[in-house]
Amino acid sequence: MARPRKPLLSRDRIIEAASSLVDAEGLDAVSTRRLAAELGVSGPSLYNHFRNKDEILDAVADTVSAQVDLEMFEESDPRDWAAALHDWAVSYRAALAAHPHIVPVLAQGPGRRPAGLRVADAVFGAMVRAGWPPAQATYIGALMRYFITGSALGSFARGFVDDETAYDPSDYPHLGQAHLLADRRQQVDEGAFETGLRALLDGLALQYEQTAAARTVRQTPNRA
């Protein structure tokens, strides 16, 4: 009986294996030697598809960017710019929360990654169409990335242990309930994200009104 053939090595197989390693063990678990072993191939064969480990991690990061919903930025979508930013931010954070170990790579920016560039292009284009000056649209894209990736880099609630004795009221008079945060991680972290996102969008809304008012003044003829 003929032996079953191994699946041909491909970029997709390498990315899938690397993604599983990153999700399970973190960035340091990924090496060409480890990936080759996981895939049952020789190490040099990986170089037919990727030049190095960094290129592999870039590809893994791009698969996460591809999971982010961009429908709200389409010209046919009825949501205004603020609602679109909100819904996109929630989708983006959900994708990062599902793959937290790859966040440091994503936080570096899209570089040449196709899906990451599509995200940046969609955000910038939607903000300019909404009336934001190009420079401000760039700032908005940047600050949203700072906020979203920052929120996904770590858990505030997990920063506290569930040991009540760790927070002696004589030393920390306001942390009497801090030991309860770890058990409420999702509620605390999601609540903090939504609170910050709403505050950020409220602030942008004020800037938007000021920008629109300044544009109206500039366009109004001087009748004096």
Side-chain angles (χ1 to χ4, degrees), residues 144-195:
M144 293 298 291
R145 183 163 64 84
Y146 300 155
F147 176 70
I148 297 165
T149 57
S151 74
L153 281 172
S155 164
F156 177 82
R158 278 185 178 169
F160 296 88
V161 299
D162 61 0
D163 179 3
E164 185 175 4
T165 64
Y167 308 108
D168 189 322
S170 63
D171 295 322
Y172 315 108
H174 306 296
L175 296 182
Q177 301 297 308
H179 65 286
L180 301 175
L181 291 176
D183 288 337
R184 301 173 184 175
R185 180 187 64 80
Q186 184 174 354
Q187 176 186 352
V188 172
D189 291 345
E190 290 184 356
F193 178 78
E194 184 65 25
T195 299

Side-chain angles (χ1 to χ4, degrees), residues 18-72:
S19 296
S20 296
L21 274 178
V22 172
D23 284 345
E25 301 180 35
L27 295 174
D28 290 340
V30 179
S31 68
T32 53
R33 178 179 296 181
R34 177 75 182 276
L35 282 173
E38 294 284 336
L39 292 163
V41 300
S42 63
S45 64
L46 298 179
Y47 297 116
N48 293 324
H49 302 277
F50 295 97
R51 290 183 296 179
N52 50 46
K53 171 183 172 178
D54 288 341
E55 280 197 357
I56 295 172
L57 292 177
D58 262 355
V60 172
D62 216 35
T63 63
V64 176
S65 294
Q67 298 171 24
V68 180
D69 184 14
L70 298 177
E71 182 179 330
M72 66 287 295

Side-chain angles (χ1 to χ4, degrees), residues 13 29 52 89 123-124 135-136 139 173-174 177 190 205:
R13 282 193 67 210
N52 50 46
V123 175
F124 179 81
Q136 287 296 108
Y139 302 154
H174 306 296
Q177 301 297 308
E190 290 184 356

Side-chain angles (χ1 to χ4, degrees), residues 35-135:
L35 282 173
E38 294 284 336
L39 292 163
V41 300
S42 63
S45 64
L46 298 179
Y47 297 116
N48 293 324
H49 302 277
F50 295 97
R51 290 183 296 179
N52 50 46
K53 171 183 172 178
D54 288 341
E55 280 197 357
I56 295 172
L57 292 177
D58 262 355
V60 172
D62 216 35
T63 63
V64 176
S65 294
Q67 298 171 24
V68 180
D69 184 14
L70 298 177
E71 182 179 330
M72 66 287 295
F73 294 130
E74 295 177 0
E75 293 189 49
S76 60
D77 193 278
R79 281 168 280 196
D80 65 16
W81 66 266
L85 279 180
H86 175 276
D87 294 349
W88 166 71
V90 171
S91 174
Y92 196 174
R93 183 178 180 275
L96 299 188
H99 307 280
H101 292 148
I102 199 65
V103 174
V105 179
L106 282 162
Q108 296 171 10
R112 297 177 182 269
R113 302 183 213 122
L117 289 170
R118 282 192 289 272
V119 172
D121 182 74
V123 175
F124 179 81
M127 295 305 100
V128 171
R129 284 198 309 274
W132 285 99

